[in-house]
Amino acid sequence: MKRPPPDYERRAIEHIQPIRQFFLANVLHHSLQLGVFAALAEEPGTDTISLAYRLGLDARRLGALLTYLENENYVLDDEGWTLTGKGRGLPTFAPWYQMLVGGYGITFQQLSDVLRAGAGYADRDTLQVGAGSCGIGVTDTLPLALHLLDTAGTDPSTLVDLGCGDGAFLIEILDRRPGLRGIGVEPNPASVERALELRTEHGLTERLDFVTATAADVAKLDLPDGGRGTAFMTAFVLQEMLEQDGEQAVLDLLTATFDAFPSTRWVVVEMDHQPTSPLMGTHGMAQAFYNPYFLIHTITEQRLETGDWWSRLFTRAGLTATRATTDPRVDSTGFEIGFLLARP
Ligand SMILES: C[S@@+](CC[C@H](N)C(=O)[O-])C[C@H]1O[C@@H](n2cnc3c(N)ncnc32)[C@H](O)[C@@H]1O
């Protein structure tokens, strides 16, 4: 029998690392969603049977999951299960798993199919995408959006968040701006259902409404004071509309809204589409997040454009667009961009 090459195992280990990360990402996502990390943070030293009982899980299978996580250094069995330092650090980043694994896991299962000539779009779980996106946004997008709103100096009394996902992002804004009212507009009914639950949990039923509609339905909204004092926001939503309805539809929406409310302000957040930037091969955040993100948007029903492309579109709509980017301590690529739109 032919002897295996002497470096076979070393090469196999190297080449199957992506498979290890693929499985690990899935296990972490499900463990976070099932509450395994939260339960262990709350009650360290718990045994498998008690943990399974608490979470309504099968004890034998949960035991296998915990052993897997121990081998990846997220938990430790020390007369009961506890989180390691790595395990304690993970939940901060749960929304990344919710968006990319929960929301887009299905997308990548369809990669071969959608790459064929003439194929349609890949699917995604819109509820998970929207919820994960809102969760990530609390750290990067929220300060950017608030900074732009404050720059406006108009002190709006109502903020309309078009394409609000599960509303978590808008809720965070209202928590930080006690005088502000919110209206979340979202076409995905499951996201609106979740948004209504979150609204109750946060005690915001008096200040926050949700409408099941698309951004293009903005003219049909019943705005307080006939829209005086209303500002608008779209975070990662014009990219959706652009692919669904085309460039002219985005222009028409902006023009019609500013025609109706000439002194309003509109905060736009998008990603600067830079898949060939030198950063993509060298920057940790570009490699870990933006590389898959840019690919995902080419195969699902969304269209990313560069920041300069968006600036030109806003100029064509007769608007000024003050541009800003994320705090570099959170994301130093500069790929996340915000615009404050106004009619001069
Ligand atoms: C990536 S999520 C962004 C969620 C949230 N705005 C955020 O900042 O994280 C995109 C959301 O836009 C919604 N959406 C898709 N098409 C839309 C349209 N034509 N008008 C308004 N929202 C739309 C999706 O259902 C989804 O909830």
Side-chain angles (χ1 to χ4, degrees), residues 166 171 194-210:
D166 70 354
I171 286 172
R194 179 72 191 127
L196 291 170
E197 287 166 11
L198 288 176
R199 178 178 76 160
T200 307
E201 281 169 30
H202 285 256
L204 284 169
T205 39
E206 301 295 312
R207 285 169 57 206
L208 179 55
D209 291 308
F210 288 104

Side-chain angles (χ1 to χ4, degrees), residues 261-283:
F261 314 108
S263 59
T264 193
R265 297 291 185 273
W266 185 317
V267 171
V268 176
V269 185
E270 286 292 329
M271 293 301 189
D272 191 1
H273 192 217
Q274 298 291 348
T276 59
S277 156
L279 288 186
M280 296 307 295
T282 54
H283 192 292

Side-chain angles (χ1 to χ4, degrees), residues 250-256 258-259 310-320 341-344:
V250 177
L251 272 172
D252 290 347
L253 171 67
L254 293 170
T255 310
F258 278 92
D259 280 349
W310 285 110
S311 292
R312 285 193 295 275
L313 184 91
F314 300 142
T315 305
R316 279 166 55 211
L319 303 172
T320 60
L341 307 183
R343 185 168 267 179

Side-chain angles (χ1 to χ4, degrees), residues 36-52 54-55 59-84 88:
V36 173
F37 282 84
L40 290 180
E42 227 175 85
E43 213 178 308
T46 189
D47 63 83
T48 308
I49 292 175
S50 313
L51 186 61
R54 178 174 170 175
L55 299 175
R60 193 175 70 85
R61 292 179 179 177
L62 176 63
L65 181 101
L66 289 164
T67 302
Y68 172 92
L69 288 173
E70 183 172 36
N71 292 333
E72 290 287 357
N73 192 25
Y74 283 89
V75 299
L76 189 65
D77 186 7
D78 183 14
E79 294 179 8
W81 293 103
T82 53
L83 296 173
T84 62
R88 283 194 297 279

Side-chain angles (χ1 to χ4, degrees), residues 126 129-130 133-134 163-165 169 186-188 214-215 235-237 240 244:
T126 309
V129 169
S133 173
C134 285
C164 66
F169 187 73
E186 168 57 48
N188 181 37
T214 66
F236 316 111
V237 171
E240 306 255 359
Q244 290 164 15

Side-chain angles (χ1 to χ4, degrees), residues 158-223:
T158 302
L159 180 62
V160 177
D161 185 4
L162 300 164
C164 66
D166 70 354
F169 187 73
L170 182 56
I171 286 172
E172 290 287 340
I173 292 185
L174 294 196
D175 279 344
R176 286 164 175 78
R177 294 285 186 276
L180 193 62
R181 298 183 61 84
I183 300 175
V185 177
E186 168 57 48
N188 181 37
S191 300
V192 175
E193 209 175 298
R194 179 72 191 127
L196 291 170
E197 287 166 11
L198 288 176
R199 178 178 76 160
T200 307
E201 281 169 30
H202 285 256
L204 284 169
T205 39
E206 301 295 312
R207 285 169 57 206
L208 179 55
D209 291 308
F210 288 104
V211 180
T212 310
T214 66
D217 294 324
V218 71
K220 297 182 200 152
L221 294 176
D222 184 15
L223 299 173

